Amino acid sequence: MVKQIKTFSISRLTVGSTSDFHSKVNELIVKATPSALYIVDQAALYAEACALLASIVNRSTTFVATSEMKAEDKRRDNLVGVVSNVVRAHKTNPIAAKQAYAIRLDADLAPYKGIGGDEYSKQTAEVKGMLAVLALEANVAAVKALGLEDEVAELAKANTAFETAFLSKAGEASTRLAQTDVSSDQAVGTANELYGQIITIVNAYAIVSTSDVIEKFIDDVNGLVTLYASIAGSSTSGGSGPDSGGGGGEEERPGEL
């Protein structure tokens, strides 16, 4: 009896299960070798499709740099608050010289009140403006007199650190563009179509020019088909290619074996 790879309702698998199935089939192809299965061209495309589908299933939804951004933003918010509060406190200082410094600084820093609640990038620019004001020759002595040199220096570091984290997040986002530009349905459809082509070719050679390698491959794939058909909640049947329609339902939960 001629061996044939069975078909099953692959479109009923979730995207994750579909990716897992194709990855395992691809491993069997590598083991048998594409040339022995007469699918050299198709195997290369299939491997690429499997890799793309796997990357979509495993794509990150969070950014590594986000936590660092939040930490540095909180740090600079606190430092802005300390500087502002100290300046305001000294406006009633009985020591005339410090009071004068505080009144001057408070007026110069007025445009930057409440910047802690502003959008990230806007606040970055505002902190730079605030630091520029504090670095004016007329204000350097005031910063020193009110004991704010350390806070101002740390504010500059925190703002720079935030910018670095922000750019790092932008870099992370750019590396994900290839994934986000491809829909799950599109990736699943491509992998399913190539799998169908491969199965059709292997089944054909199993009829006209079979070999131990082809028959072993068919047995191994049929083992996978039996397992994944159960997950999909479908039955298997002999045929020339799988049901490759649809994109795999994200909301369907895999069945228990």
Side-chain angles (χ1 to χ4, degrees):
M1 182 177 177
V2 177
K3 289 186 177 181
Q4 293 281 276
I5 294 174
K6 298 179 182 296
T7 63
F8 75 107
S9 298
I10 192 171
S11 62
R12 295 178 63 180
L13 290 172
T14 62
V15 175
S17 291
T18 303
S19 174
D20 192 51
F21 173 77
H22 286 308
S23 293
K24 286 179 169 56
V25 171
N26 188 58
E27 290 173 4
L28 293 178
I29 291 172
V30 172
K31 183 178 179 181
T33 72
S35 58
L37 299 174
Y38 302 97
I39 54 168
V40 174
D41 293 339
Q42 293 81 3
L45 295 174
Y46 185 58
E48 292 178 5
C50 289
L52 177 59
L53 183 54
S55 73
I56 290 174
V57 171
N58 299 322
R59 58 187 168 196
S60 300
T61 57
T62 59
F63 292 87
V64 174
T66 298
S67 59
E68 186 177 354
M69 281 176 56
K70 289 182 177 179
E72 293 301 337
D73 181 58
K74 183 177 181 180
R75 180 171 153 77
R76 69 181 182 180
D77 285 349
N78 291 340
L79 286 163
V80 166
V82 169
V83 171
S84 299
N85 289 336
V86 168
V87 170
R88 282 198 297 270
H90 278 290
K91 286 175 66 178
T92 58
N93 194 324
I95 300 175
K98 288 190 175 183
Q99 184 184 67
Y101 281 136
I103 291 172
R104 176 186 176 83
L105 275 183
D106 187 61
D108 286 348
L109 295 177
Y112 306 102
K113 290 180 180 179
I115 64 175
D118 289 340
E119 180 269 324
Y120 278 160
S121 57
K122 180 181 179 182
Q123 186 180 348
T124 298
E126 289 171 327
V127 171
K128 288 181 179 179
M130 182 177 177
L131 290 168
V133 168
L134 293 170
L136 291 174
E137 185 176 352
N139 289 331
V140 170
V143 170
K144 183 176 181 180
L146 300 183
L148 291 171
E149 289 177 300
D150 290 343
E151 286 75 14
V152 171
E154 289 303 311
L155 176 58
K157 290 180 182 178
N159 207 44
T160 297
F162 177 87
E163 275 198 291
T164 300
F166 184 85
L167 291 174
S168 177
K169 184 172 182 177
E172 289 183 62
S174 69
T175 61
R176 299 181 188 181
L177 291 178
Q179 294 177 0
T180 55
D181 285 347
V182 179
S183 71
S184 296
D185 283 351
Q186 180 183 346
V188 166
T190 299
N192 285 351
E193 181 180 354
L194 287 166
Y195 171 72
Q197 293 175 15
I198 288 170
I199 298 317
T200 298
I201 294 171
V202 172
N203 280 344
Y205 273 98
I207 296 173
V208 300
S209 182
T210 192
S211 67
D212 290 342
V213 174
I214 288 177
E215 294 195 4
K216 178 65 167 60
F217 177 75
I218 290 174
D219 287 340
D220 289 342
V221 174
N222 278 339
L224 291 177
V225 167
T226 298
L227 294 177
Y228 284 88
S230 178
I231 292 174
S234 66
S235 60
T236 65
S237 61
S240 60
D243 165 18
S244 60
E250 290 274 15
E251 63 284 341
E252 291 187 38
R253 183 179 180 85
E256 296 294 331
L257 297 181

